[in-house]
Amino acid sequence: MASVHESLYFNPMMTNGVVHANVFGIKDWVTPYKIAVLVLLNEMGRTGEAAVSLLERRRLNQLLLPLLQGPDITLSKLYKLIEESCPQLANSVQIRIKLMAEGELKDMEQFFDDLSDSFSGTEPEVHKTSVVGLFLRHMILAYSKLSFSQVFKLYTALQQYFQNGEKKTVEDADMELAGREEGERKMEKEELDVSIREEEVSCSGPLSQKQAEFFLSQQASLLKNDETKALTPAALQKELNNLLKFNPDFAEAHYLSYLNNLRVQDVFSSTHSLLHYFDRLILTGAESKSNGEEGYGRSLSQQAELALQEAIRIAQESNDHVCLQHCLSWLYVLGQKRSDSYVLLEHSVKKAVHFGLPYLASLGIQSLVQQRAFAGKTAHKLMDALKDSDLLHWKHSLSELIDISIAQKTAIWRLYGRSTMALQQAQMLLSMNSLESVSAGVQQNNTESFAVALCHLAELHAEQGCFAAASEVLKHLKERFPPNSQHAQLWMLCDQKIQFDRAMHDGKYHLADSLVTGIAALHSTEGVYRKAVVLQAQNQMSEAHKLLQKLLLHCQKTRNTEMVISILLCVAELYWRSSSPAVALPVLLQALALSKEYRLQYLASETVLNLAFAQLILGIPEQALSLLHMAIEPILADGAVLDKGRAMFLVAKCQVASAASYEPLKKAEALEAAIENLSEAKNYFAKVDCKERIRDVVYFQARLYHALGKTQERNRCAMLFRQLHQELPSHGVPLINHL
């Protein structure tokens, strides 16, 4: 955190038992809690080394820093912390505080007078420049500046602090006794309730400048590195509002409020806090401060462009090349929808390398790779570029960018339809040990790249029918990225999509329809597409067609090629389900051309699969079979289990249709081969619990067994078909028109 205003919190007032110093330049004030800490320090100095073991003294030294820097806590909690480190010293501190609180005002005055003796002598107990020495000097100085009325209020607050601590100690003892009588479960609940109440009491008062700086830096570090250990958004905002109530000009509190609002995707409030931050940071003295509302009349993109122009102007005036490079990167971000944005990006990478800025250079390379992946560049060229980027990462120990690079490779392999390679990259990121420890108990593994890799793993497992494994991954995601965290939307969308697919597989279209709202809230384009899929499955063809046409225009405008191809495939299916397979052919050819142009191999294979099905409906099964040989290998190698089943089912249909003109012996062999392919398709469908397609498969098997005169097998398949047909709704769609 940056430095804060020197005049922070110096108001001559008494709030919640806290005396505020009335002198500028003092960054702290005396509170009853700090008097208790001073008693602890005094007792540590008076206690000889022989009375306290080396282990206990080490524990006490480790305890001191959080006590000096952290917020005020209740006396009972302070006693407990000291007792855990050194029980003997806890008893001495308790007696000293009791004598002071139950005595007279002069006892507290004498205590502060005696504190100065800690610095006297040739070998003083405390060095003036040490952490403890600075704390003692600040407290002595703050106490000496208090008026008599403020000293009296402080002593009254100390008495109240002591009485509350004694009362809490008695309550804890009573509850411990009651817990022993009533059982461990109730005792745990009572202890939890007590700890919550203590935390609320301890946080009720304002913080000093040093406590505020420590609190803000700690929370900012946790938000960056391990968001789960930070306060919840509501609790953190409550504390920030408490800070800003006593000093609205605390710039760093406004900035942390901006970060906190970003966690919950509250763009309006985050912009509001950011404007306040810059107002407090830049405007000083007699300059007027705005109320943070300026700029709300303009759109957010306009505000971003104006802020960037101002940053460029200041950087040019001060000849700051590093700042200009950052501005150049942001120019690309703001203008990346333009066709010539890659020129800015290439220029940014060259300049970043020239000025020795590896972080910016690497981010530029990764952005170029992402842009060229969407433009249809070959995979080996993209991986070569990422290899150059990785060299920069390892050379300059940029572990965060290493993770981003691996997550990017995972996404690229999935985009190109290579699920095995995507799985390998995702597992590599998860198994890496390069995630550096930031502080004790804090790991830098709650980043967006980590969330992206886990989401890819969940989806890849779900595609292969491993729903239990996908659920475990999602459970881990929910624990690592709680719903109020900034990357929670990633796993929320992933979870909703997996649930939607499972509902569609199981023929529960009403359930799938209810999930569309949640998907649309997280990703509007995906939500509209899946709404059209549900409408089509429910035979609401005209509504589905209107929705798909609107979505197609939108995706073509935003250059979302992957979604455009998916929409075209959906439109083609809609045509042949409406008994218009000839109309579907131009649509499928358009989808195939786009897939080939952008090197989306898996989508190209799926398009060929649909073309083969269209040819089968048009009565040319031989050509359909030859097309299938082109598409089936990538699908069986990297495809989802459902697509594998569809491919094998289609192969069987084509074999049966082709065998119509065969001689009896050859026809029987073709039908036997078709039955084997149908069995394989049924196994694939069973993995994803797709009962509707299993029903279609066993229907075909029963017909083929009947043609071959295998009565027993026919009856078994017919019985299974009847069970599934009674269980599932029938929409009156001919089986031959369903891929």
Side-chain angles (χ1 to χ4, degrees):
M1 282 288 169
S3 62
V4 296
H5 298 286
E6 293 294 320
S7 58
L8 181 62
Y9 297 150
F10 305 124
N11 302 316
M13 59 181 292
M14 185 80 181
T15 307
N16 295 326
V18 178
V19 177
H20 298 259
N22 192 20
V23 180
F24 283 71
I26 302 174
K27 298 184 179 182
D28 224 330
W29 56 74
V30 187
T31 66
Y33 162 74
K34 288 173 183 173
I35 292 176
V37 175
L38 289 171
V39 171
L40 169 63
L41 294 172
N42 192 256
E43 285 296 318
M44 287 178 65
R46 292 172 56 182
T47 306
E49 293 185 4
V52 180
S53 67
L54 180 63
L55 181 60
E56 288 176 334
R57 188 165 291 276
R58 185 177 297 163
R59 288 174 183 166
L60 286 169
N61 291 337
Q62 291 176 340
L63 176 65
L64 279 180
L65 194 60
L67 289 181
L68 297 179
Q69 292 182 326
D72 293 5
I73 59 176
T74 59
L75 188 59
S76 61
K77 193 170 183 179
L78 180 62
Y79 286 156
K80 186 177 179 182
L81 291 172
I82 301 172
E83 190 174 7
E84 289 172 354
S85 302
C86 181
Q88 177 189 348
L89 197 62
N91 188 46
S92 302
V93 170
Q94 191 170 5
I95 293 171
R96 283 285 300 277
I97 295 175
K98 182 177 182 180
L99 291 173
M100 190 187 303
E102 293 181 347
E104 299 178 357
L105 178 60
K106 65 179 182 180
D107 295 326
M108 186 179 74
E109 292 182 339
Q110 185 61 44
F111 171 73
F112 275 94
D113 290 340
D114 294 340
L115 282 179
S116 301
D117 297 339
S118 303
F119 303 110
S120 61
T122 55
E123 293 185 3
E125 297 175 1
V126 180
H127 292 284
K128 290 184 178 182
T129 56
S130 66
V131 175
V132 174
L134 288 172
F135 177 75
L136 288 174
R137 289 163 63 191
H138 284 160
M139 291 297 101
I140 294 170
L141 180 60
Y143 182 79
S144 67
K145 297 295 183 180
L146 297 178
S147 65
F148 178 77
S149 61
Q150 289 176 326
V151 171
F152 179 75
K153 289 178 180 178
L154 175 62
Y155 185 67
T156 305
L158 177 64
Q159 290 178 319
Q160 186 65 42
Y161 184 68
F162 170 73
Q163 290 170 8
N164 291 340
E166 289 293 300
K167 183 180 177 182
K168 186 68 68 177
T169 304
V170 172
E171 287 179 0
D172 289 348
D174 292 343
M175 277 186 290
E176 185 177 354
L177 182 61
R180 289 174 182 172
E181 294 173 355
E182 297 178 17
E184 293 183 0
R185 182 177 300 177
K186 187 174 180 180
M187 184 183 71
E188 290 176 3
K189 183 181 184 299
E190 288 171 345
E191 288 177 351
L192 179 62
D193 293 340
V194 169
S195 67
I196 292 171
R197 289 197 296 270
E198 284 184 350
E199 188 172 299
E200 290 173 352
V201 170
S202 67
C203 294
S204 61
L207 302 178
S208 69
Q209 176 178 341
K210 288 187 174 298
Q211 288 175 325
E213 287 178 344
F214 176 73
F215 171 76
L216 293 178
S217 62
Q218 182 188 53
Q219 291 299 314
S221 175
L222 289 172
L223 285 182
K224 178 185 177 184
N225 301 313
D226 197 348
E227 195 176 335
T228 55
K229 290 185 173 64
L231 292 176
T232 62
L236 180 55
Q237 196 61 46
K238 182 181 177 181
E239 292 300 321
L240 291 173
N241 291 340
N242 189 40
L243 283 174
L244 294 169
K245 181 175 67 175
F246 292 99
N247 189 346
D249 292 339
F250 197 173
E252 285 72 16
H254 286 292
Y255 190 79
L256 189 59
S257 177
Y258 151 73
L259 295 177
N260 190 44
N261 285 311
L262 278 185
R263 297 165 70 188
V264 292
Q265 309 298 320
D266 188 348
V267 178
F268 180 84
S269 298
S270 61
T271 307
H272 182 82
S273 297
L274 197 58
L275 289 171
H276 273 296
Y277 167 71
F278 281 113
D279 286 345
R280 271 68 183 174
L281 189 68
I282 298 171
L283 300 178
T284 57
E287 295 182 29
S288 62
K289 297 177 189 259
S290 74
N291 59 0
E293 302 295 333
E294 182 183 351
Y296 280 132
R298 299 185 294 266
S299 69
L300 293 176
S301 59
Q302 284 178 319
Q303 291 183 55
E305 288 174 1
L306 289 171
L308 188 57
Q309 288 173 11
E310 180 67 12
I312 292 171
R313 183 186 63 79
I314 295 171
Q316 287 175 336
E317 288 177 357
S318 57
N319 200 26
D320 189 341
H321 294 289
V322 175
C323 183
L324 283 171
Q325 279 310 114
H326 283 276
C327 293
L328 188 58
S329 300
W330 275 106
L331 270 176
Y332 161 72
V333 173
L334 293 177
Q336 59 183 323
K337 291 184 179 179
R338 291 164 28 195
S339 58
D340 61 341
S341 61
Y342 72 93
V343 178
L344 272 177
L345 196 53
E346 290 176 347
H347 185 63
S348 173
V349 172
K350 291 176 183 176
K351 284 289 185 180
V353 173
H354 175 72
F355 288 111
L357 302 172
Y359 192 92
L360 274 182
S362 175
L363 281 179
I365 292 171
Q366 304 229 27
S367 297
L368 270 174
V369 167
Q370 187 181 79
Q371 189 185 63
R372 288 173 178 175
F374 289 129
K377 299 297 180 182
T378 55
H380 73 273
K381 290 183 178 179
L382 300 181
M383 293 304 160
D384 285 344
L386 285 176
K387 182 185 69 176
D388 296 336
S389 178
D390 288 341
L391 291 175
L392 282 175
H393 302 158
W394 293 109
K395 183 179 179 181
H396 298 279
S397 300
L398 302 173
S399 58
E400 181 184 352
L401 293 183
I402 294 171
D403 305 338
I404 294 174
S405 176
I406 296 175
Q408 180 113 289
K409 291 174 186 175
T410 306
I412 289 172
W413 284 124
R414 281 207 75 192
L415 178 69
Y416 286 159
R418 299 298 182 91
S419 60
T420 306
M421 294 299 297
L423 187 65
Q424 182 193 54
Q425 291 295 325
Q427 290 175 338
M428 183 186 297
L429 176 58
L430 300 184
S431 63
M432 277 183 61
N433 296 319
S434 63
L435 300 170
E436 299 173 359
S437 178
V438 180
S439 62
V442 178
Q443 295 290 330
Q444 193 176 354
N445 53 6
N446 284 357
T447 57
E448 184 182 12
S449 54
F450 204 80
V452 168
L454 285 170
C455 287
H456 279 305
L457 270 183
E459 290 181 353
L460 287 167
H461 280 92
E463 285 177 0
Q464 299 305 316
C466 304
F467 296 114
S471 298
E472 286 297 318
V473 175
L474 286 169
K475 181 182 176 183
H476 182 71
L477 272 164
K478 292 172 185 177
E479 293 172 356
R480 189 176 290 277
F481 302 93
N484 52 32
S485 62
Q486 58 182 328
H487 303 312
Q489 286 192 354
L490 293 170
W491 65 256
M492 287 179 180
L493 180 60
C494 175
D495 189 18
Q496 294 280 309
K497 286 163 68 176
I498 291 173
Q499 289 185 49
F500 178 90
D501 291 337
R502 293 195 70 178
M504 291 297 293
H505 296 166
D506 206 16
K508 298 176 180 177
Y509 303 139
H510 63 286
L511 178 58
D513 195 24
S514 67
L515 292 167
V516 167
T517 306
I519 295 173
L522 296 165
H523 194 294
S524 57
T525 304
E526 191 74 33
V528 174
Y529 171 71
R530 290 181 183 258
K531 177 65 177 179
V533 170
V534 173
L535 290 173
Q536 181 177 290
Q538 292 174 335
N539 283 336
Q540 300 180 38
M541 300 302 180
S542 58
E543 292 86 348
H545 187 264
K546 290 177 184 177
L547 208 57
L548 287 170
Q549 290 299 324
K550 289 180 182 178
L551 186 59
L552 181 62
L553 291 174
H554 171 73
C555 291
Q556 286 173 338
K557 186 177 179 181
T558 56
R559 299 179 183 176
N560 188 348
T561 309
E562 191 177 6
M563 182 57 75
V564 166
I565 296 169
S566 299
I567 294 168
L568 290 173
L569 293 179
C570 200
V571 170
E573 184 177 351
L574 190 147
Y575 284 145
W576 68 59
R577 285 174 70 114
S578 303
S579 302
S580 303
V583 184
L585 284 176
V587 178
L588 290 172
L589 290 173
Q590 183 184 353
L592 184 61
L594 283 171
S595 303
K596 296 287 187 180
E597 180 183 351
Y598 288 91
R599 291 181 169 82
L600 304 177
Q601 178 182 320
Y602 188 72
L603 282 174
S605 300
E606 194 172 345
T607 306
V608 172
L609 199 69
N610 282 269
L611 274 170
F613 185 70
Q615 289 181 334
L616 173 64
I617 298 174
L618 291 170
I620 42 177
E622 293 82 6
Q623 291 188 21
L625 265 178
S626 63
L627 269 179
L628 276 174
H629 289 308
M630 294 168 51
I632 201 165
E633 185 178 341
I635 290 175
L636 293 178
D638 294 296
V641 167
L642 181 67
D643 291 336
K644 293 177 183 178
R646 290 171 60 211
M648 297 310 298
F649 193 13
L650 184 56
V651 168
K653 288 180 181 179
C654 292
Q655 287 174 330
V656 173
S658 300
S661 58
Y662 292 174
E663 297 178 358
L665 184 60
K666 190 178 178 182
K667 182 177 181 180
E669 292 176 357
L671 295 183
E672 290 284 358
I675 289 173
E676 290 180 8
N677 289 328
L678 287 172
S679 298
E680 189 175 349
K682 185 171 69 174
N683 292 334
Y684 285 132
F685 292 144
K687 286 184 179 180
V688 289
D689 198 27
C690 191
K691 295 178 182 177
E692 194 175 59
R693 295 182 184 274
I694 294 174
R695 178 184 64 181
D696 295 347
V697 170
V698 295
Y699 169 80
F700 266 79
Q701 281 185 318
R703 293 288 301 271
L704 294 180
Y705 280 129
H706 179 74
L708 292 172
K710 297 184 177 181
T711 308
Q712 187 175 354
E713 290 84 351
R714 180 203 64 189
N715 292 343
R716 186 181 70 249
C717 291
M719 183 181 67
L720 183 56
F721 169 77
R722 182 180 179 184
Q723 291 174 352
L724 291 170
H725 193 62
Q726 289 175 345
E727 182 181 345
L728 297 170
S730 178
H731 301 292
V733 180
L735 291 171
I736 194 67
N737 286 351
H738 184 63
L739 175 57

